[in-house]
Amino acid sequence: MIRCLAIDDEPLALQQLVAYIKKVPFLELAAQCQSALEAREFLQHDTVDAIFCDINMPDLNGMDFVKSLAFPPLIVFTTAYSEYAVEGFRVNAVDYLLKPFGLQDFQRAANRLKERLDDTPAAPTTPSTQDVLFLKTDYRIVKVNICDIRYVEAMSEYLKVWLENEPKPIITLLSMKKMEERLPDYFMRIHRSYIINLNKIQEVNKNRVIMDAETYLPIGDMYKEGFQAYLDTKFLGK
């Protein structure tokens, strides 16, 4: 999910912006503010991935607000004044929405945000800060608790995500690399086709990891050293 901050001094414009954010499945509204000063105060104690920001606002305009941020998130500017477009891209804005804009234009900007974030190397994650995934399967977007994932299996261009207490996997169009980057450090890739939840291992037998009575997963040659190093940190005995 992309956590978003919506900023606009016009109540109706802010209301529309919030409504559009809620219509896009991969966007999450973190807060809405009616001034840049209010947004600055919010960012002092919270973080977001992206800001939808009006430019022409009293006290502190959106452009100066973004320039004042030491580590600005991704920015989409919204304004009724087209002359700001060039300056908007000078501060590396992802997109520029000219009011009045519709849902289709907003969706385009949201997709650009997603593409930009997908191209950004993933930061290390922990269960406490990143505990869910949203996966597209068939025509649905399904929320998955990361701790419930037993293992991930590659299947051509798709992945099978096997969950605790679920007889069938979630099948989603995604690469192993993307999934591996997104999962926290209690997951490990043990084979070109398998990522496992280390907390779900029942037994290790020679070159296989046993997840349950019916699931035996191979350990690939190029992953043996890393997996053995993990076992050594947990092993008790001679």
Side-chain angles (χ1 to χ4, degrees):
M1 295 290 283
I2 302 174
R3 280 173 52 81
C4 300
L5 175 61
I7 311 170
D8 201 305
D9 65 306
E10 299 176 14
L12 290 179
L14 182 60
Q15 182 180 347
Q16 182 187 56
L17 187 57
V18 167
Y20 284 166
I21 289 173
K22 291 180 177 179
K23 286 180 182 293
V24 179
F26 55 83
L27 297 183
E28 175 188 358
L29 181 67
Q32 51 183 299
C33 301
Q34 287 192 262
S35 72
L37 296 178
E38 183 184 347
R40 177 184 285 174
E41 183 177 349
F42 171 80
L43 292 175
Q44 288 176 353
H45 58 79
D46 208 338
T47 60
V48 294
D49 302 307
I51 297 176
F52 290 88
C53 183
D54 187 23
I55 293 178
N56 191 29
M57 294 186 290
D59 298 325
L60 179 64
N61 72 46
M63 197 73 65
D64 290 337
F65 163 69
V66 170
K67 290 177 181 178
S68 73
L69 298 176
F71 302 101
L74 299 180
I75 304 295
V76 174
F77 283 119
T78 66
T79 185
Y81 302 95
S82 59
E83 61 265 30
Y84 285 118
V86 174
E87 188 177 1
F89 287 112
R90 283 177 182 165
V91 297
N92 201 28
V94 173
D95 207 346
Y96 178 95
L97 292 171
L98 185 63
K99 297 177 181 180
F101 54 87
L103 180 58
Q104 185 175 356
D105 290 330
F106 181 85
Q107 181 73 63
R108 181 202 69 217
N111 289 338
R112 288 182 177 176
L113 283 176
K114 188 173 185 300
E115 290 169 4
R116 183 76 67 88
L117 284 172
D118 286 346
D119 290 339
T120 303
T125 59
T126 64
S128 61
T129 59
Q130 301 287 344
D131 55 358
V132 297
L133 292 174
F134 284 83
L135 299 176
K136 186 174 182 181
T137 178
D138 296 326
Y139 298 100
R140 301 176 297 133
I141 294 177
V142 181
K143 184 176 81 169
V144 175
N145 292 322
I146 291 178
C147 62
D148 289 339
I149 298 175
R150 296 172 60 237
Y151 66 97
V152 179
E153 178 182 0
M155 182 183 66
S156 185
E157 296 179 349
Y158 292 81
L159 298 182
K160 292 182 178 180
V161 181
W162 295 88
L163 303 177
E164 197 77 23
N165 301 320
E166 294 289 343
K168 295 183 179 180
I170 294 174
I171 299 176
T172 185
L173 180 61
L174 194 66
S175 70
M176 284 289 272
K177 183 176 182 294
K178 287 287 186 185
M179 178 62 80
E180 191 175 13
E181 289 174 347
R182 180 62 179 79
L183 292 172
D185 58 9
Y186 58 92
F187 284 82
M188 179 176 287
R189 191 165 184 175
I190 61 164
H191 188 275
R192 64 189 300 270
S193 298
Y194 295 101
I195 300 171
I196 64 169
N197 184 335
L198 298 169
N199 296 329
K200 306 294 184 182
I201 296 174
Q202 290 191 2
E203 186 179 331
V204 179
N205 189 331
K206 296 183 180 178
N207 291 327
R208 297 183 302 179
V209 173
I210 301 173
M211 306 299 288
D212 57 47
E214 299 178 351
T215 308
Y216 292 64
L217 304 180
I219 304 171
D221 290 341
M222 67 181 295
Y223 302 95
K224 284 181 181 177
E225 185 176 347
F227 184 64
Q228 186 60 53
Y230 164 77
L231 292 180
D232 290 344
T233 66
K234 304 296 181 181
F235 186 74
L236 293 179
K238 297 182 179 179

